[in-house]
Amino acid sequence: MNILVLGPQGSGKGTQAKRIKAMYGIPHIATGDMLREMRELDTPVARELRAVLDRGDLVDDGLMIELIRDRLARGDTVGGFVLDGFPRTMAQAEALDELLRELGRELDIVFDLQVPKREMLLERLLRRAAEEGRADDTPEVIGRRLELYESETAPLVDYYRTHQANVVGIHADRSVDEVFHEVERSLESVEARA
Ligand code: AMP
């Protein structure tokens, strides 16, 4: 099963993706995690990356597309994958379509995790920053990321609605278990159709 999870930071996207991974035994491809690993290297690219991430800005589309191209080419994705954090821009969404076409695959389902209240996202993100000691997650940087989500990434939901039948909106302002219950039900109905 090829799964895409969309949603702003703080919507619980990563948590749900990890649960899907555990349930279905497919790799969880999280571009944020990949970039956080890359930023620790001592290379010019890593230094540039640190500056972009620390501002809460988006990393260059070209680099992201290369990263995903390499990752999806790995054998462990053949039985499916859950993609979290990519695509974040229209250019990335178009590149992903192209890439999947080349690989002869398509997305089976796109989850849109919705949290209507910005205050709830901010609260969750500030709590996580404190718990995980992410010093880069200041209120200013968090605000910047949420802004970019609204302007660059949220429009992808409509893009997928017009290009793909299977977009499932989920109210993510509930407990992890409640949200996962709905995720599971949707995945079961996709499996039943296959
Ligand atoms: P995340 O853990 O998915 O919230 O990502 C953390 C940060 O990594 C984001 O705020 C961006 O700066 C960067 N990032 C992750 N995925 C992408 C992407 N697909 N395109 C551009 N930047 C990204």
Side-chain angles (χ1 to χ4, degrees):
M1 187 115 62
N2 303 329
I3 304 162
L4 171 59
V5 186
L6 291 173
Q9 279 193 323
S11 62
K13 194 165 40 90
T15 307
Q16 296 299 326
K18 283 192 189 86
R19 285 224 180 169
I20 296 171
K21 169 192 168 150
M23 188 90 172
Y24 289 84
I26 52 179
H28 170 207
I29 304 179
T31 45
D33 291 348
M34 291 161 83
L35 293 171
R36 276 185 287 277
E37 258 177 47
M38 276 173 72
R39 69 171 280 159
E40 299 310 322
L41 304 175
D42 188 19
T43 63
V45 174
R47 274 191 287 281
E48 213 176 294
L49 195 58
R50 277 198 285 278
V52 174
L53 295 177
D54 289 349
R55 285 197 302 269
D57 281 343
L58 290 178
V59 173
D60 174 69
D61 283 336
L63 175 67
M64 295 312 304
I65 291 164
E66 277 314 300
L67 210 62
I68 284 297
R69 175 184 294 279
D70 288 351
R71 184 61 190 89
L72 287 180
R74 277 166 52 185
D76 65 343
T77 64
V78 169
F81 54 81
V82 48
L83 202 48
D84 155 17
F86 184 98
R88 261 178 157 95
T89 64
M90 200 58 84
Q92 293 181 14
E94 286 167 357
L96 178 64
D97 278 352
E98 179 65 34
L99 207 56
L100 290 174
R101 237 191 325 272
E102 281 169 24
L103 294 167
R105 292 190 233 166
E106 55 185 33
L107 294 172
D108 295 299
I109 190 164
V110 176
F111 286 110
D112 172 31
L113 300 190
Q114 302 158 354
V115 177
K117 288 213 175 81
R118 191 184 161 99
E119 306 88 78
M120 184 182 245
L121 292 173
L122 276 169
E123 189 191 300
R124 284 184 179 180
L125 289 168
L126 286 170
R127 196 173 46 231
R128 182 173 78 183
E131 281 168 7
E132 297 181 6
R134 288 203 203 175
D136 53 330
D137 281 3
T138 62
E140 199 188 13
V141 170
I142 288 170
R144 171 87 186 127
R145 294 207 194 103
L146 292 179
E147 254 169 45
L148 282 170
Y149 185 81
E150 284 308 315
S151 63
E152 303 294 321
T153 313
L156 301 186
V157 175
D158 279 338
Y159 172 83
Y160 283 113
R161 283 224 164 86
T162 46
H163 285 72
Q164 300 239 347
N166 209 10
V167 176
V168 177
I170 296 203
H171 294 291
D173 49 354
R174 294 177 292 166
S175 74
V176 170
D177 285 343
E178 282 170 315
V179 174
F180 189 64
H181 186 64
E182 218 172 303
V183 165
E184 240 185 312
R185 272 216 324 249
S186 305
L187 292 175
E188 280 162 8
S189 72
V190 170
E191 276 186 323
R193 265 185 273 149

